[in-house]
Amino acid sequence: MRNAIGVDIGGGSIRASLFAESGKELDSTLSPTPEHLDNQSFLKILKETIRPLTKDAMGIGVGSPGPLDNERGIMISSANMQGLKNLPIKEELKQEFSLPVWYENDANCAALGEAYFGFYKDTKSQLIITLGTGVGGGFVDRGILYSGYLGNGIEIGHTTSVIGGALCGCGVHGCVESYFSTRGFLGRYAEKTNKDLDNAETFFQLVKEKDPIATEILSFGTLALAHAIRNAVHLLNPEVVVFVGGITKSYDLFGKNLESEIRSTIFPVLNDMLKIGVGGSLSGALGAASLVFSKEKL
């Protein structure tokens, strides 16, 4: 039996799924998370969500937003679940279910899942960029995830794209996430128009309608993201850069310009080898389950 449980912890819900090693989902459970949480009530919901799947599993992989400590398996804090602090996820699940448990940043999980099961799984190294509410990153080399010290590496969304630029949710000015993400697009649009947009779909609809302000914001954001990726390509030298996440649904509105800017600024020798493209629509739970399959192969 080589089935693994993947758990995707988000601000509004916890999804746990049982996967075969082929990536096929065998079973799934979903639990909403209340707005007001403490550690014990959250752990109770987490365990109840996972419990129905444990009989046929060889291990549990868990992904959540950071900051976290992947060695001790602790969620240090969460911007979207503010009642949680120093949550001992790994130890609690190991004791409850007597199964090995791995815990990583959700962007790292997405990267590993894409590397194992995505469109570019046959390449040797993948830099995966998650485009959604924020900007996440992950790097997988020959099937092994680079997670950084205690699991907080490849935070490409919090690399600086504009010196002294817009204030990011992390508290620093000028992060690329402030310019190319749902949060960034809506924030920049509100600054320029005093109008609050509901979501990224509304923003991209304005781009389609040739709204000059939305178009300008997307153009500058694309430039900022391209140079953040340029920097990462020069540091990591991946075989492929893969874009995943909700914003990729609108890739036709920015993808050509993004790829052109990246390719026109990286070293020619890297450009000759580099592939760039959109990944599959893999679930966060599958990415978390990939932690189990990966560790079993090391």
Side-chain angles (χ1 to χ4, degrees), residues 202-211 213-216 218 253:
T202 304
F203 174 80
F204 282 114
Q205 184 58 42
L206 288 171
V207 173
K208 290 178 182 178
E209 295 169 359
K210 311 295 186 186
D211 178 274
I213 294 176
T215 301
E216 177 190 347
L218 178 60
L253 297 177

Side-chain angles (χ1 to χ4, degrees), residues 30-50:
L30 180 69
S31 298
T33 51
E35 289 185 13
H36 304 290
L37 289 168
D38 56 39
N39 282 11
Q40 288 308 117
S41 62
F42 181 85
L43 287 169
K44 182 173 184 293
I45 295 170
L46 179 62
K47 292 173 185 177
E48 289 173 351
T49 306
I50 296 170

Side-chain angles (χ1 to χ4, degrees), residues 53-81:
L53 309 176
T54 55
K55 180 181 176 183
D56 298 318
M58 66 178 184
I60 302 169
V62 182
S64 82
L68 54 84
D69 179 337
N70 66 346
E71 291 188 5
R72 293 188 297 154
I74 292 174
M75 179 192 292
I76 297 171
S77 63
S78 171
N80 295 320
M81 296 173 282

